[in-house]
């Protein structure tokens, strides 16, 4: 399966889709925010591809997760970094893989703690479906259907590549 998932092709799909959505909505000066870790790597690549001048932001949603009290704190938690004001801004939120929608919900909660954006455009490299919340990406690199024992993981940052993993094997 990894041979079918060419990272450059998926990034081109994301870039093209984002340009189309930005044009349709008349967004002239968006800012990018990547969700750690894979979303940050993608935000870096897409920022360059889109020719954006402002630095991109990084979110660590660990404290915003709805399972925080159950799973505890990840030992690799780092503070989020948003080097711009979110108030009234058009934000492109980037994640590597969307499945249930819970990570995106947590990310939006954190973004709103910084200020009320004008809009949020959600872009994801891979959509696995299986939503538990009514959250849908505006731009998708690829939609995949995996078996229950399979997982997909973006590795990087240099080079970026996608791994298909067999859980419990």
């Amino acid at each position: 399966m990894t041979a079918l998932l060419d990272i450059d092709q998926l990034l081109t799909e994301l870039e093209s889709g984002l340009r189309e959505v930005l044009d349709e909505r008349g967004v002239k000066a968006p800012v990018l925010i990547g969700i750690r870790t894979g979303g940050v790597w993608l935000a870096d690549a897409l920022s360059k591809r889109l020719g954006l001048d402002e630095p991109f932001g990084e979110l660590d949603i660990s404290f915003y997760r709805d399972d925080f009290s159950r799973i505890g704190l990840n030992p690799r938690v780092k503070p989020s970094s948003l080097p711009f004001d979110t108030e009234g801004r058009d934000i492109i939120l980037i994640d590597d893989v969307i499945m249930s929608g819970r990570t995106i919900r947590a990310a939006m909660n954190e973004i709103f703690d910084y200020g009320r954006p004008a809009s949020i455009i959600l872009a994801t490299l891979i959509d696995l479906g299986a939503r538990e919340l009514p959250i849908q990406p505006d731009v998708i690199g690829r939609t995949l259907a995996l078996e229950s024992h399979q997982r997909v993981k973006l590795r990087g940052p240099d080079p970026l590549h996608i791994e298909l993993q067999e859980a419990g094997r």
Side-chain angles (χ1 to χ4, degrees):
M1 177 175 288
T2 54
L4 300 175
L5 299 175
D6 179 278
I7 192 72
D8 288 326
Q9 180 183 3
L10 293 177
L11 284 168
T12 298
E13 291 289 325
L14 280 178
E15 176 191 357
S16 174
L18 282 170
R19 288 185 186 281
E20 187 176 314
V21 169
L22 293 170
D23 187 51
E24 286 173 2
R25 296 185 186 180
V27 174
K28 302 294 182 207
V31 291
L32 282 172
I33 298 176
I35 300 172
R36 273 199 195 104
T37 328
V40 171
W41 300 333
L42 294 171
D44 183 35
L46 288 168
S47 179
K48 293 170 186 164
R49 285 173 170 249
L50 294 170
L52 300 178
D53 294 328
E54 273 190 270
F56 59 90
E58 301 181 22
L59 283 185
D60 188 320
I61 57 134
S62 296
F63 292 115
Y64 288 81
R65 292 180 56 98
D66 59 8
D67 58 358
F68 176 75
S69 62
R70 191 175 44 162
I71 65 170
L73 186 60
N74 183 322
R76 295 176 296 195
V77 171
K78 297 178 184 171
S80 293
S81 169
L82 298 181
F84 45 77
D85 188 14
T86 61
E87 188 71 33
R89 298 298 301 268
D90 293 297
I91 292 171
I92 300 172
L93 181 60
I94 309 286
D95 199 10
D96 53 355
V97 178
I98 185 171
M99 191 167 121
S100 68
R102 291 182 181 276
T103 295
I104 303 307
R105 182 214 48 87
M108 289 192 299
N109 283 357
E110 183 170 356
I111 289 168
F112 274 81
D113 280 352
Y114 283 90
R116 185 181 186 274
S119 69
I120 297 176
I121 296 167
L122 176 58
T124 187
L125 192 66
I126 297 171
D127 183 354
L128 297 178
R131 292 299 182 279
E132 295 171 1
L133 301 175
I135 294 173
Q136 301 299 323
D138 298 291
V139 181
I140 300 166
R142 179 78 41 91
T143 300
L144 293 178
L146 300 180
E147 300 293 325
S148 62
H149 64 276
Q150 295 177 315
R151 302 289 178 265
V152 66
K153 180 80 174 157
L154 179 66
R155 299 286 184 189
D158 193 26
L160 283 176
H161 63 283
I162 300 164
E163 286 182 4
L164 179 65
Q165 302 172 336
E166 301 288 327
R169 293 185 183 185

